[in-house]
Amino acid sequence: MNVLLLGPPGAGKGTQAKRLEETYGLVQLATGDMLRAEVADGSSLGVKAKAIMEAGSLVPDDLIIEMISDRMARPDCATGVLFDGFPRTVAQAEALEKMLRAKEQRIDLVIEMKVVDESLVERIVGRFTCPDCGAAYHDRFNQTKKEGVCDVCGGTEFHRRADDNAETMGKRLSAYHKQTQPLLPFYDERGVLRSVDGMAAIDDVTRQIQAVMDAAQAGHF
Ligand code: AMP
């Protein structure tokens, strides 16, 4: 099963994807994480992407499609992928459709995480991750159980993203509305779009998503 989490920056896609990949045996493909790894490596893609990401704009489609196409060719993607932050434009969605069709697959389910714009800045500005295990936290909404210590791996160093600030957020949000929201009618036409209330508590959002995924797996769309 190939599933896509769709929502604005700060909707909680990454947090939910981490919880779901284990439960459903899917591989999480987060283009934002992949790009940040390229930037950290100083690869030619990373060099091209760095300033664009810091400005809150979208990296050009051809670069993203090439990166995803290389990643999708690996054997771990054969049984199912949980896409997080990709596709972000109709051109990317069409390219993905073509890639999957070649493997006689398709996007089986698109889960829209609905969150009002007004809440996104505070969700973004307080977030941090553990670089060792990837666990995601938030100063207010998802704190570590013990201050300064990762619940999952015990790590004590945390990372905050350079683009998680109020200034860049305006640009990221407008990119979402202009370039990514057209994916909602795109997938609705294909009969695979479902929505959940992303404003609910994190555990509740997980339960809503699981209900939608279980129904899709059982063929009860
Ligand atoms: P994210 O971690 O998903 O919030 O992505 C961080 C940044 O990476 C975005 O603001 C974009 O600059 C870039 N990015 C991530 N995924 C994509 C994509 N599918 N298409 C274009 N740019 C992307």
Side-chain angles (χ1 to χ4, degrees), residues 1-219:
M1 183 157 85
N2 294 303
V3 181
L4 201 158
L5 293 181
L6 194 62
K13 302 184 294 294
T15 301
Q16 296 297 336
K18 287 253 151 14
R19 292 176 167 211
L20 297 166
E21 64 175 345
E22 221 175 280
T23 317
Y24 292 92
L26 301 172
V27 173
Q28 179 199 9
L29 284 199
T31 39
D33 289 346
M34 293 165 74
L35 287 167
R36 279 184 287 280
E38 297 285 342
V39 172
D41 282 354
S43 70
S44 77
L45 170 58
V47 170
K48 286 182 205 149
K50 187 169 188 281
I52 301 172
M53 293 169 75
E54 280 172 4
S57 304
L58 292 189
V59 173
D61 287 334
D62 54 337
L63 298 178
I64 296 289
I65 291 165
E66 192 185 337
M67 179 177 80
I68 276 284
S69 153
D70 288 350
R71 181 66 187 83
M72 295 271 291
R74 293 212 223 139
D76 61 340
C77 290
T79 47
V81 176
L82 185 56
F83 293 98
D84 158 10
F86 171 87
R88 258 175 158 98
T89 63
V90 170
Q92 291 179 17
E94 285 169 346
L96 176 62
E97 204 165 58
K98 221 168 133 188
M99 273 179 238
L100 291 172
R101 206 179 294 135
K103 300 203 279 183
E104 295 184 347
Q105 291 184 15
R106 59 177 208 137
I107 290 292
D108 301 286
L109 178 63
V110 177
I111 303 170
E112 178 198 9
M113 299 177 65
K114 278 182 184 280
V115 177
V116 297
D117 281 5
E118 294 68 37
S119 71
L120 293 171
V121 171
E122 67 171 353
R123 281 169 168 243
I124 283 280
V125 170
R127 67 185 186 179
F128 59 96
T129 53
C130 171
D132 293 333
C133 71
Y137 299 100
H138 190 282
D139 292 329
R140 275 182 54 205
F141 308 122
N142 187 19
Q143 298 164 341
T144 54
K145 290 196 180 82
K146 190 172 166 205
E147 204 186 325
V149 181
C150 175
D151 297 350
V152 179
C153 74
T156 52
E157 303 275 333
F158 294 99
H159 175 72
R160 287 176 195 261
R161 282 169 48 176
D163 60 344
D164 276 351
N165 59 67
E167 298 77 56
T168 309
M169 190 57 193
K171 194 83 187 280
R172 288 165 69 192
L173 208 47
S174 102
Y176 177 76
H177 289 308
K178 284 203 193 97
Q179 292 168 275
T180 308
Q181 254 182 344
L183 293 179
L184 296 172
F186 179 94
Y187 286 116
D188 197 25
E189 274 167 24
R190 284 152 178 77
V192 292
L193 180 67
R194 296 293 177 270
S195 298
V196 298
D197 173 17
M199 297 295 288
I202 294 174
D203 287 345
D204 187 29
V205 178
T206 307
R207 276 192 290 274
Q208 291 180 57
I209 294 177
Q210 282 179 336
V212 169
M213 287 186 52
D214 292 345
Q217 257 182 345

